[in-house]
Amino acid sequence: MRYAVLVTGPAGAGKSTFSTAFMTHIRASKRTANLVNLDPAASPESFEYEPVIDIKDLVSLEDVMTDLEYGPNGGLVYCFEYRLGIRVCATYLIESQFMEDKYKFFSGVLSAMSAMVNLEIPWINIMSKMDLVLPQADSGDARNGARKRRDIARYLDPDPLLMATRRGEEASGSNPRFHALNQAIVQLIEDHPLVSFLPLNLQDTDSIENVVSHIDYTMQYGEDEEPKEPHDLDEGDFQDM
């Protein structure tokens, strides 16, 4: 059984950096891993590991889209799962700076939710660049104040009340014209609590290992592997068997 992790997310979320760290960790664990580029706009210089397959060199995706009338995402999933026999898991990255603006953050939550619903494959959402979250609060230019460690849980498991406009704040806070839209988004997230994020700090080995472990669990890595006989079966305690 072969496995694939689709790394997705908005521009600047750290997809290339995460892919490099993920590849390095996997290879350090004595597991085989290769990089496949599915972004036709990606520059070759953005990858530390050279892709073994580059989407710009392939034409099979267009054939699938034409023959089966699939969209680009559905065509990619079809190619992975049924032509190559690969078990697929997807990751969606948004960066921790999204927490500085609650409206930008919830646009990321809705984008992740849309991707999850449309692709219909095992999914993990990741809050990247957590090394930028400082222990001490420093409001700076953050629209909604500093990201305090005690408040991070409300973003990792999105709290819809972060976006709800409190009574008396319409004039000084968000534009009252968007109050109804905000309330509708809050209701949507409350009714469909699909999105939560794993924190990722690439400076912390334990954080990387935690993300890799969740990916392995989501893909059921190794579940179909045949058990191997120990090399010392005929030695020591087993010599009489």
Side-chain angles (χ1 to χ4, degrees), residues 99-147:
M99 293 189 288
E100 292 183 350
D101 188 322
K102 60 186 178 183
Y103 303 106
K104 183 178 180 181
F105 170 74
F106 277 100
S107 71
V109 171
L110 293 177
S111 296
M113 184 183 297
S114 175
M116 293 171 67
V117 170
N118 282 283
L119 285 183
E120 296 182 342
I121 57 177
W123 203 275
I124 291 177
N125 297 299
I126 296 174
M127 183 74 70
S128 64
K129 303 183 182 180
M130 289 299 290
D131 53 300
L132 300 180
V133 180
L134 303 177
Q136 300 297 327
D138 181 12
S139 59
D141 296 327
R143 178 173 178 177
N144 297 292
R147 304 183 297 271

Side-chain angles (χ1 to χ4, degrees), residues 59-77:
V59 294
S60 59
L61 176 61
E62 287 74 12
D63 294 339
V64 170
M65 292 171 60
T66 300
D67 297 341
L68 302 180
E69 298 182 354
Y70 283 177
N73 290 334
L76 289 174
V77 173

Side-chain angles (χ1 to χ4, degrees), residues 190-212:
E190 284 186 332
D191 293 342
H192 305 281
L194 303 175
V195 179
S196 61
F197 294 94
L198 286 176
L200 175 62
N201 179 357
L202 293 179
Q203 307 300 320
D204 184 355
T205 303
D206 291 338
S207 177
I208 300 173
E209 177 63 33
N210 182 49
V211 171
V212 173

